[in-house]
Amino acid sequence: MTSPDSPLPSPPTAPLRLLHLDDHLAVIDKPAGLLVHRTAIDAHEEDAALQRLRDQLGRPVWPAHRLDRGTSGVLVFALSAAVASALGQALAERLTSKRYLALVRGWPTGDAGVVDHPLARDPELPSAGQPHLEAQTAWSCERRLELPVATDARFSTTRLALMACEPVQGRRHQIRRHLKHLAHPIVGDANHGKGPLNRALAAHFGLQRLWLHAQRLTLTHPVSGETLQLEAEPGPEWAPFL
C-alpha cells in the first residue's frame, strides 16, 4: 500500500521540467513521489530523478542536494563532480537560501516566527542518545483556511494553514520536524504527521501526497559567480490554497 508520504511517481517516460540548464548545472522541478536517486531502502523502485535526467540529457549528473521523495520543487544537479563538490560546500556553509511552501494542520499563533529547536541527527532513530544539531527555521503564515470536512470527531470542520518556511541549516526532515514541534504537522506527512487527518484529507482532495513544495532556491553559480534565483511554481493541486 502506498503511504501518504510516498505517492506513485510520475511515469518513467515523462520528461522532467528543466528550470535552468547550462554547461555546469541542470535544475529541475521534481514531481512529488519521485526519488532523487535509487536507494537500498527503496530497492524495488527503478525510477528516480538522477537516472531520468541523465537519460534526458545524455550525460552523467550529480545531485547537489536532496529533497524527500514526497516533496516537489526545485532540485539542482551538477554536471561534473567538481561542481557538485563546490555546490555541496556552499550548502554546508549556508551560502544559499531556500523557501518552501507547506500545507499544515491548524492555524499558527501569529503571522511569523522562527523555530529554534535542535534536531537529532537521524530522524529515523530514537532521539535519546543521539547528538542534537543546531536548527532554525523561519516561517510565515500565508493563508488560513477552514474546510467543511471532519477529520476529528470533536469538530465538524478542519483548519489548515499555508505556511512559507525558510530553513537555515537543511537538516534531514528539518521543516517536517520543526512544524511538528510547532504542533502544525504537514498534511500527508506519514512520519511526522497525523494518520487520520492525512487519510481524511487525501479522500477529500482525491489526492495523496506530502504537501511540501520547494518553491525557491537562491545560490551563487559555482563557476560564473552569477546569483541564480531558481523557482518552481506549485502545481495545479495547490491552487485552492494559494
Side-chain angles (χ1 to χ4, degrees):
M1 181 179 291
T2 304
S3 75
D5 192 23
S6 303
L8 291 174
S10 302
T13 54
L16 294 165
R17 189 165 80 90
L18 285 166
L19 303 172
H20 176 89
L21 178 64
D22 61 34
D23 291 338
H24 310 285
L25 299 178
V27 185
I28 67 166
D29 181 0
K30 187 185 86 65
L34 183 66
L35 290 169
V36 173
H37 56 78
R38 296 171 186 160
T39 69
I41 297 174
D42 291 282
H44 65 285
E45 183 56 71
E46 294 295 320
D47 190 24
L50 186 150
Q51 285 79 13
R52 207 193 287 189
L53 182 62
R54 177 199 62 198
D55 295 344
Q56 187 172 326
L57 298 181
R59 60 183 298 177
V61 298
W62 287 257
H65 62 115
R66 303 288 190 271
L67 291 179
D68 293 335
R69 179 176 185 170
T71 305
S72 55
V74 178
L75 180 64
V76 181
F77 288 87
L79 300 184
S80 71
V83 169
S85 177
L87 285 171
Q89 183 174 351
L91 287 160
E93 294 177 358
R94 308 177 195 173
L95 301 178
T96 65
S97 64
K98 304 174 187 176
R99 186 180 194 266
Y100 291 75
L101 290 178
L103 185 68
V104 306
R105 184 192 71 170
W107 290 355
T109 302
D111 293 328
V114 176
V115 184
D116 189 349
H117 178 67
L119 296 172
R121 185 182 298 276
D122 189 343
E124 307 296 335
L125 299 174
S127 294
Q130 286 197 63
H132 282 63
L133 308 175
E134 176 189 15
Q136 295 92 28
T137 300
W139 62 269
S140 62
C141 183
E142 304 294 294
R143 189 178 177 195
R144 292 174 172 84
L145 308 102
E146 190 162 6
L147 302 183
V149 56
T151 57
D152 184 314
R154 298 170 296 173
F155 308 105
S156 60
T157 61
T158 297
R159 288 181 171 185
L160 303 176
L162 181 70
M163 296 178 69
C165 298
E166 298 185 4
V168 175
Q169 291 82 8
R171 309 294 182 200
R172 191 175 175 208
H173 293 186
Q174 178 167 328
I175 294 174
R176 295 165 64 179
R177 289 196 279 171
H178 271 173
L179 291 177
K180 177 185 178 182
H181 179 71
L182 285 182
H184 296 296
I186 299 176
V187 176
D189 192 334
N191 295 86
H192 309 288
K194 301 292 182 181
L197 176 131
N198 291 341
R199 290 188 291 273
L201 290 180
H204 177 73
F205 297 146
L207 176 65
Q208 184 171 266
R209 67 157 292 174
L210 173 69
W211 289 88
L212 182 63
H213 178 74
Q215 183 182 30
R216 185 184 306 138
L217 172 62
T218 304
L219 56 82
T220 300
H221 194 290
V223 177
S224 71
E226 174 190 3
T227 297
L228 297 179
Q229 183 166 287
L230 307 159
E231 189 157 351
E233 288 305 316
E237 69 273 24
W238 289 84
F241 317 120
L242 297 176

